[in-house]
């Protein structure tokens, strides 16, 4: 990520109660016959969130306002924890070094980008992971876990570097936790304290930064 990204995480207690998920842009043309032509305008999905659902107390509201001010509104990006999708496997399952296939060794390549594949049918979607939690990453070559001292993960890019190139034909896999790179999708936070104390949820829109 460029210099306009801060390697800090949005307040976790607020994020875990937020709402949102992936969005796509599909163009649909309906012909006179009633048939449709559908075309995806985006190669990758883009996630949108509303963190306002996680603000339950004045202290949490104050923390979000402070975070917003330090990011200068939409100017600087940051990390966000998606409570539904933050692991290489299902949220309720422990991370395993064989969770995701990253590629196949050729005896020379040492660097592999972290990725997560969705679906196992005719058209699986492969998502590059740019903001892993470095200490959570576990890697394996041909099913055998690689010692942490023999593999390094760049938490700012999602690149995994092996000290020794994986052997030719050996599957390279990894398991990990990760955050989503996002920014605020507004330059204005409107806080109505009377409405907030009456139960109204403030709007705090966030949008994924696509590399």
């Amino acid at each position: 990520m460029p210099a306009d990204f801060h390697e800090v995480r949005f307040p976790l207690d607020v994020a875990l109660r937020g709402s949102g998920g992936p969005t796509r842009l599909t163009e649909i043309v309906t012909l006179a016959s009633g048939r449709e032509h559908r075309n995806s305008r985006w190669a990758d999905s883009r996630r949108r969130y509303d963190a306002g659902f996680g603000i339950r107390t004045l202290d949490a509201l104050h923390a979000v306002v402070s975070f917003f001010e330090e990011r200068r509104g939409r100017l600087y990006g940051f990390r966000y924890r998606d409570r539904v999708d933050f692991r290489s496997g299902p949220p309720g399952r422990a991370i395993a070094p064989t969770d995701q296939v990253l590629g196949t060794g050729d005896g020379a390549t040492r660097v592999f980008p972290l990725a997560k594949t969705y679906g196992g049918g005719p058209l699986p979607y492969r998502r590059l992971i740019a903001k892993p939690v470095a200490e959570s990453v576990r890697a394996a070559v041909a099913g055998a876990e690689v010692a942490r001292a023999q593999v390094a993960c760049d938490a700012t890019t999602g690149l995994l570097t092996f000290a020794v190139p994986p052997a030719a034909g050996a599957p390279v896999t990894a398991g990990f936790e990760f955050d989503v790179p996002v920014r605020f999708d507004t330059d204005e936070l409107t806080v109505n304290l009377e409405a907030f104390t009456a139960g109204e949820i403030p709007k705090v829109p966030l949008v994924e930064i696509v590399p």
Side-chain angles (χ1 to χ4, degrees):
M1 288 289 172
D4 59 357
F5 189 91
H6 292 171
E7 291 291 340
V8 295
R9 184 182 288 150
F10 187 82
L12 190 59
D13 57 334
V14 176
L16 294 181
R17 297 189 186 97
S19 67
T23 62
R24 287 189 173 273
L25 182 61
T26 305
E27 186 179 72
I28 301 176
V29 177
T30 304
L31 306 179
S33 64
R35 294 179 180 272
E36 291 182 345
H37 282 298
R38 295 182 296 278
N39 179 56
S40 178
R41 299 289 299 276
W42 295 347
D44 298 298
S45 57
R46 192 177 194 187
R47 282 153 177 78
R48 290 184 176 275
Y49 304 98
D50 187 347
F53 286 93
I55 301 175
R56 305 291 179 84
T57 67
L58 287 176
D59 284 350
L61 180 58
H62 179 270
V64 170
V65 170
S66 178
F67 193 89
F68 175 85
E69 289 282 50
E70 190 173 4
R71 305 288 87 72
R72 309 299 195 268
R74 294 185 294 177
L75 185 59
Y76 293 99
F78 51 92
R79 289 170 172 259
Y80 182 81
R81 174 58 56 92
D82 184 332
R83 65 174 180 172
V84 174
D85 190 4
F86 67 95
R87 282 184 174 175
S88 48
R93 192 181 73 193
I95 294 170
T98 54
D99 279 346
Q100 297 292 326
V101 177
L102 306 185
T104 303
D106 58 9
T109 301
R110 295 194 305 121
V111 180
F112 293 80
L114 291 179
K116 182 174 181 178
T117 299
Y118 296 79
L123 197 61
Y125 171 61
R126 180 179 172 87
R127 175 190 179 190
L128 291 177
I129 302 300
K131 298 297 176 185
V133 179
E135 60 270 21
S136 73
V137 178
R138 300 174 64 187
V141 175
E145 186 165 7
V146 178
R148 289 186 181 273
Q150 296 298 309
V151 62
C153 177
D154 187 335
T156 67
T157 63
L159 295 179
L160 202 62
T161 303
F162 291 86
V164 178
V172 178
T173 60
F176 45 84
E177 289 187 356
F178 62 94
D179 296 316
V180 183
V182 302
R183 63 167 171 79
F184 286 101
D185 199 23
T186 180
D187 276 324
E188 177 184 0
L189 280 186
T190 302
V191 179
N192 183 328
L193 192 57
E194 183 177 350
F196 177 73
T197 55
E200 184 176 310
I201 298 171
K203 295 286 187 182
V204 186
L206 310 174
V207 62
E208 182 178 8
I209 300 171
V210 179

